[in-house]
Amino acid sequence: MMKLCHLIFIASVVVSSCLAASPSEIEALNDLYSATAGEFWNSNDNWLVGDPCTSKWEGVVCDENGSVVEIELTYSRLQGTIPSSFGQLSNLKYLNFYRNILRGDVPQSFANLTKLEYLNLSGNSFIGTFPEVLFSLTNLQSLILT
């Protein structure tokens, strides 16, 4: 019986370590938190604590490989600009920043979000034109900007 518990413990440690986000993904999410006044978000549960995948950061979904694939932060009071490091989330498929207080430009680094299928940036205060790169993301099925 003792050996079985030990094996289960080892298996759970191996599984959880496989689910960890990459250092560049963690950096991008930490930068987003800092650049958009994360301490004032409506809900920032578990942000900056441990790993976004294993600690279940509010609004962040990871796949079975530990890659950040979804971010859903609607009506969250994000205020500020999206940092250029956001482009490091290269496995992101779904991004919804609907109804926040985001401003400035959408970073050119969105060109690195080649797996993005859904993007909603509406209900914010962006200035200028959106970068052309948004319109050349080949996997993008839904783009909502107004």
Side-chain angles (χ1 to χ4, degrees), residues 62-75:
C62 299
D63 66 10
E64 64 279 356
N65 299 314
S67 296
V68 175
V69 293
E70 294 183 21
I71 298 176
E72 171 91 34
L73 292 171
T74 61
Y75 293 97

Side-chain angles (χ1 to χ4, degrees), residues 8-18:
I8 291 171
F9 173 73
I10 290 173
S12 68
V13 170
V14 170
V15 168
S16 66
S17 68
C18 291

Side-chain angles (χ1 to χ4, degrees), residues 41-54:
W41 293 356
N42 286 338
S43 181
N44 58 10
D45 294 348
N46 298 327
W47 275 75
L48 307 182
V49 177
D51 179 86
C53 299
T54 58

Side-chain angles (χ1 to χ4, degrees), residues 13 26 28 44-46 58-59 63 83 99 111 119 129 132 139:
V13 170
I26 295 171
N44 58 10
D45 294 348
N46 298 327
E58 178 74 28
D63 66 10
R99 289 280 184 193
L119 176 60
T129 58
E132 288 292 321
N139 288 314

Side-chain angles (χ1 to χ4, degrees), residues 94-110:
Y94 180 95
L95 176 59
N96 193 347
F97 283 155
Y98 176 69
R99 289 280 184 193
N100 284 288
I101 313 165
L102 296 171
R103 63 185 191 294
D105 294 320
V106 174
Q108 290 292 327
S109 65
F110 267 53

Side-chain angles (χ1 to χ4, degrees), residues 81-101:
T81 59
I82 300 172
S84 62
S85 61
F86 199 80
Q88 295 173 350
L89 297 167
S90 59
N91 291 303
L92 197 63
K93 294 181 180 181
Y94 180 95
L95 176 59
N96 193 347
F97 283 155
Y98 176 69
R99 289 280 184 193
N100 284 288
I101 313 165

